[in-house]
Amino acid sequence: MKMPQTLATRLGVAALLFAAASLAFARDSDNAPSAARLSSAPAPGLLAAGKILVDVWGIPHIYADNEHDLFFLQGFNAARDRLWQIDLWRKRGLGLLARDFGPAYVEQDRSLRQFLYRGDMNAEWASYGPKAKSYAEAFVAGINAYVADVQGGRRALPIEFRIAGTMPDAWKAEDVVRVRSHGLTRNVASEVKRSLVACAAGLEADRFRVKLEPAWTTKIPEGLDPCSIPKGVLAAYDLATRPVAFARAEERKAMLQHDPDRYLTEADQQRDTIGSNNWVVAPSRTATGRAILANDPHREHSVPSLRYIVGLNAPGISVIGAGEPALPGISIGHNGTIAFGLTIFNVDQEDLYVYQLNPADPNQYRYCDGWEQMRIVHESIEVKGESARDVELKFTRHGPVIHVDAANKRAFAIRSVWFEPGTSAYFGSSDYMTAKDWNGFVTAMKRWGAPSENQVYADVKGNIGWIPGAKTPRRVNYDGLMPVPGDGRYEWQGFVQNDELPRVYRPEQGFFATANQMNLPSDYPVTERKVGFEWSDPARWQRIVEVLQSKPKMTLADAMDLQNDTTSMLARRLVKLLGPIQSDDANAKKGLGLLKDWDARDDADSAAGAIYEVWISNHLGSALLKAVAPKAADLIASEASSISPIVAYLEAPDAALGADPKAARDRILSESLGRAVAEVSEKLGADTTMWRWGRLHVAKFDHALMPLADKATAAQMSVGPLSFGGAANVPRAATYRRSDYHLTAGASFRMVLDVGNWDASRAVNTPGQSGDPFSGHYRDLAPLWATGQYVPLLYSRAAVEAAAAEVISLTPR
């Protein structure tokens, strides 16, 4: 197996580019770099002149004379580089798709409008901190200035709008925060799946789907019949939370159909795939004597990337890092004093409620001893090429009604923290990004609402820490693991305060890491504060901690190697079980021979890695479930990302496998492995010397609009394929589809910070910074990302100017 790349290798391309830039560009902060492309333009709404310096990797560094202009220019730049993406984000979030794209999107618009924030906007703005509203107002003013130029023909209409036949819209400041449905909450889909399993095979069978942590035994809530939960009950929720998809007219209806089996399977998978890794290392354990902070957030891969790297500089503010392009500020990065990075902290922030409807009035539901009236909102949805559609949105006291079972006089609604002030995804970072020390950071995190996050922290004085933040429902008499009757027996009793969540400052071991694993302390009062019971498998965290413990003096190169580490802790456990097994079957024998000598690394060039991933994705789990829980076998997806309960059972099989559980276990292992080898042979050929995990496991980024583009443009909008190592449960997180093993999610953005020596920090974003398919920065970072390389994350003005490839000067009009 190949050893991890050295720092020199990782930075080879970037170092050459930076060296060239340093020679060619002036370092005088008052002068533009001599080799940079220069442009200037008026920007109505600016108070004073400002500059955007775009470095050779497409990272913009914005310089302004005041806060208003800084966030104005951030919005202006987001529109300059990602206008289609942010415009679609807004239209999707507000339920305005049918106006642009036609009647096929009416139902998605209706669903999206059910999940908008409709509460008090004063309370909403106040929830994020004192400057949140002014940041958002300046940000959308910048977007609108650019949009006005496009609408007026002073700037070119981006090609995506030409393909779709649409125009960008102007924004309101409240658009930034009212949109909720792009965020991450949990666990309503798991509640539905658990009910389906309980109905089909009994609640005990659900142990093969997810392990509850801390140790917990759930039960069916009093008054709930698990068989009353329709498999398709979350169709509206699915439409409200999925990305926008495009197809030619004849295919649109099928494209937008809800497939409950697929949806619930993907929701189970997300428990281990939509997360992140992060860690901080104290100066006492680094080679430089400065703290190191590393973060690689994991989400669905897309082009353009979900993340956007930007530097923001004005009097009183100097930050750099990644955020989402439709939001002001950054959420992952550093200012001149502190650094911060996030991962998901798996708080259960939503519940499915089941109501008995009044036989005499379908708009009334049983609550306590009487009937309560639903709130009904009528809205008009504009439709391209047709008359507007009037839609009726129904709400109970808990939330939007997402499904009605008229035959059985039942209704279903979702309660989510999204309907509470202060839960616009990631917008709370507008407060903490300017904190100067631990106390200031903690104060800002007390207001954090969503998504629920683990924040790691480091500062230039050498302090490190961890603090989770979330709007956490306080459930007293139930655990949130199954749907509950909406008759008043199961209510949130306010929220767990962020001060009641655990935290760590200056940990004794000199480092702290999170990877979405269950990280509540052993003495945490779980019964009193039911934070959540469904966490990611600890395998990624276990490997990260193993490496951190082995490095008495960690370097930035070590941190980058660890982000790209492909060691599977789960594979180690399964390979150990294979040790005593022998087989006369040719395929099983071939698989045993390769896996028993394997180092458990899912490297792109690994033959054993190919066998292992195919085995755990499509063969091992289903074979076991057919033996121990046949009635639930079709409900419990044996995804590679959710294999942990299967592995745990195989290590300690019980009577569910018969009189000789271990013998039955070994037979399942051997026979399923043989079938996996047969599949690999079919896909990669009979010659095992040609087998490579990276031949199956490839990254390809296809723009959502490709189905509407002509052939040549569609090709330009696609990036890849790129051979890729890793998998769902290794530090180099790279989740794939079971059908073809192509990547679907993982770390599109990675960051390693040298805390205090900021210009030494490194990052990468894939496939590139720009949303323009014809820009050089649309795809330039993808090869670096795929091979584990990084680019400098420059912070000082001198370094930025030395690496600038473009200077955009903006002046008030």
Side-chain angles (χ1 to χ4, degrees), residues 667-730:
R667 184 171 59 255
I668 289 170
L669 287 168
S670 177
E671 291 176 357
S672 63
L673 179 59
R675 288 191 288 272
V677 170
E679 181 184 342
V680 176
S681 298
E682 181 181 348
K683 292 183 179 297
L684 299 181
D687 183 359
T688 59
T689 64
M690 299 300 292
W691 291 3
R692 301 285 185 274
W693 174 224
R695 288 181 61 194
L696 296 174
H697 192 233
V698 298
K700 190 169 185 289
F701 302 88
D702 289 338
H703 197 288
L705 275 175
M706 283 174 57
L708 305 185
D710 62 72
K711 188 174 181 180
T713 304
Q716 184 69 21
M717 299 174 87
S718 181
V719 180
L722 300 162
S723 177
F724 205 81
N729 274 315
V730 305

Side-chain angles (χ1 to χ4, degrees), residues 375-390:
R375 181 168 63 95
I376 299 177
V377 176
H378 293 274
E379 293 194 355
S380 179
I381 296 177
E382 294 182 57
V383 183
K384 182 178 182 180
E386 296 185 5
S387 300
R389 306 277 181 89
D390 292 327

